[in-house]
Amino acid sequence: MTGSAEAPSRPRVVLGVGGGIAAYKACEVLRRLTESGHGVRVVPTAGALRFVGAATFEALSGRPVHAEVFSDVPSVQHVKLGQDADLVVVAPATANLLAKAAHGLADDLLTNTLLTARCPVLLVPAMHTEMWEHPATRANVALLRSRGVVVAEPASGRLTGKDTGKGRLPDPAEIVELARLLLHRRDALPRDMEGLRVAISAGGTREPLDPVRFLGNRSSGRQGYALARVAAQRGARVALVAAHTADLAPPAGVEVERVGTAAQLREAMHRAAEGADVVVMAAAVADFRPVDRAEHKIKKTDRDPEPVALTRNPDVLAELVGARRPGQVVVGFAAETGDAAAGVLEHGRAKLRRKGCDWLVVNAVGDGRAFEVEDNGGWLLSAEGVETPLPHGSKASLASAVWDAIMSGCEVSGPRGRRPQ
């Protein structure tokens, strides 16, 4: 027996598509959502259908596609779609569509759906820089956010024609990550980090042995990127220092500086921390580096290789803690494995005491955990002794939980003066 009803556990997502050139990227958003188990109904505008045909959306979603209120009238789709949805995502959201949503205009199926939705709504803008920065658009965005709508920060990069600037649609993987986060939270992302400047490190450093070999680790950078992405969407101005990050796309609205070695990361993080309200050391920094770097590739010979002499790298987190200004919050990360002496959490507590940071995220690593995977979990420890479990889930969900705890545990004494209570 077959039917069209959704299984109760299958999230129902309405994917709205606005009439901009970035509409073609909605196909990748749709593919990722359906492949991750979401039931998706695509609602394009008439303009969107001039860029991507209805047949494409129908083939990818397995569902009929309509753009007008008078399509499929007996099922009252202009009301039912919004009422039944667990999440509405609009990507791209053009300046025209943002204006309609802000002022309650409903002249097609998508704008009617936005009026009837009582679930989280994510609007992902895409337009030329001048349109994004226009006072009318900024006012519309502010009005939508004041109502609890999540209006994502657009990315920067190549636009249509020869133009480059802010207004590019974020990477489809990033849009889907934000969508999954909203489904997990079941509410809007707060804009509680407006005015804050945040410096975050991510990825694993690499210490060269010769021109082709290095000492490194398995960090992918995904957790640091998730922290940066969520902070930017909550209103923070984010500087991300990225070591090796498995070719991750830069998070929208985030300034990225790329580095390779621990020494380079150390220098970049000290610069970024100078003007930051919150400093997060999520990178996996190599503890050691070779004393000497061979100028040429070390050749394989019949005799045993010479031992590689190592020296200790500076403790960047400890340095940042020692150099912090009054009012600055420092967050560390501890990737731990249990041993005969202590468990993961005990090692994390000892590291928090040793480093002296305000907060420490403790992750259990190894056996497919934390590194090189999409999900994460662990504990958030505070200098005051509060221990908050971080349930296993997406790295964006963990990032959201970390920021929730940090922001709720900070008293506001000005845009640059927040410290744990």
Side-chain angles (χ1 to χ4, degrees), residues 179-203:
R180 289 182 62 199
L181 174 58
L182 292 177
L183 284 167
H184 172 78
R185 290 180 61 99
R186 297 190 180 277
D187 64 1
L189 278 177
R191 295 287 294 185
D192 55 353
M193 298 180 72
E194 294 273 9
L196 286 182
R197 299 176 67 180
V198 177
I200 300 174
S201 68

Side-chain angles (χ1 to χ4, degrees), residues 255-296:
E255 297 177 8
V256 180
E257 179 178 356
R258 301 194 180 278
V259 297
T261 65
Q264 293 168 348
L265 184 140
R266 175 196 188 197
E267 181 181 350
M269 280 303 293
H270 276 286
R271 283 198 309 271
E274 288 179 0
D277 301 290
V278 184
V279 179
V280 182
M281 273 295 297
V285 182
D287 294 321
F288 304 95
R289 69 181 186 276
V291 172
D292 297 308
R293 177 184 182 274
E295 293 299 321
H296 305 285

Side-chain angles (χ1 to χ4, degrees), residues 19 24 54 56 72 85 87-88 94 112 116 167 177 181 193 198 214 226 237 280 317 342-343 355 374 378 408:
Y24 77 93
T56 300
D72 194 14
L87 175 69
V88 176
T94 62
N112 273 269
T116 58
E177 185 175 14
L181 174 58
M193 298 180 72
V198 177
F214 59 85
R237 180 178 173 183
V280 182
L317 175 57
K355 301 293 185 181
E374 299 291 336
S408 65

Side-chain angles (χ1 to χ4, degrees), residues 205-229:
T205 63
R206 292 180 170 183
E207 311 301 321
L209 289 164
D210 63 19
V212 298
R213 300 180 180 92
F214 59 85
L215 294 177
N217 56 66
R218 295 169 52 199
S219 174
S220 66
R222 290 187 178 93
Q223 187 60 74
Y225 271 52
L227 285 157
R229 178 174 297 117

